[in-house]
Amino acid sequence: MSAWQPLPDDLPPEVRHFVEQVRLLKDRTGLSLAALGARTAYSKSSWQRYLNATQPPPRQAIAALCRVAGLAPVDAERFGVRWELAVQAWPRPPAPEPGKPERQDGVYEEEVPTLPWWVESGTGSGSGSGSGSGKDSGVSADPSRRVLLVAVVLVLVLVLVAVVGAVVFG
């Protein structure tokens, strides 16, 4: 179906087998890379890197592809096992250049699906001087609670303005 680029000759057999199986699964969906990206929250260029073995895919990307392809749970689990074997054998990239994203927990920073700002959790973003009580740090570290608090305050302000306006302008 697709004319795939040849895989590098120096790929470990586990990686080669995994990428070939992922390519077959992608072809089975009948989707273009752009359409696959739209249905999986991973971009077309990300899928190009995964399917050409230039970068290992995150586990979530493979799970999303299995879901889009309509695989049975047992077959999707097999892809998960192939993924684990491939990632263990995947050639490690050289040390990152300054200014480029680093690899953390097996996933490149840029490959984490984009989440809305209110869902992203900044670990350590709510850190203060460290001398406060523990109950204050729990609220400031969770962005979704801050958004909820701001929304409630805004609603209360709007209600107050409406009541004052009704009383004054009668």
Side-chain angles (χ1 to χ4, degrees), residues 40-55:
T40 61
Y42 292 89
S43 68
K44 173 185 172 183
S45 60
S46 294
W47 281 110
Q48 286 173 330
R49 289 189 298 270
Y50 307 153
L51 295 167
N52 289 319
T54 57
Q55 181 179 339

Side-chain angles (χ1 to χ4, degrees), residues 120-133:
E120 292 181 10
S121 65
T123 55
S125 65
S127 62
S129 62
S131 62
S133 66

Side-chain angles (χ1 to χ4, degrees), residues 17-100:
H17 176 71
F18 173 72
V19 172
E20 289 169 350
Q21 293 300 308
V22 173
R23 285 177 169 187
L24 289 172
L25 186 59
K26 184 268 176 207
D27 285 345
R28 187 173 133 190
T29 67
L31 297 172
S32 67
L33 289 177
L36 181 62
R39 294 176 112 200
T40 61
Y42 292 89
S43 68
K44 173 185 172 183
S45 60
S46 294
W47 281 110
Q48 286 173 330
R49 289 189 298 270
Y50 307 153
L51 295 167
N52 289 319
T54 57
Q55 181 179 339
R59 178 187 282 273
Q60 295 87 353
I62 298 305
L65 175 61
C66 290
R67 185 187 73 250
V68 168
L71 286 186
V74 103
D75 293 329
E77 188 175 326
R78 287 188 187 120
F79 264 93
V81 171
R82 286 184 190 123
W83 176 85
E84 288 177 17
L85 294 172
V87 167
Q88 289 174 4
W90 210 285
R92 301 289 179 233
E97 296 174 25
K100 287 198 174 183

Side-chain angles (χ1 to χ4, degrees), residues 142-161:
D142 187 2
S144 62
R145 287 189 181 187
R146 279 186 273 147
V147 170
L148 181 60
L149 179 62
V150 168
V152 168
V153 169
L154 286 175
V155 167
L156 290 175
V157 168
L158 286 173
V159 168
L160 182 63
V161 167

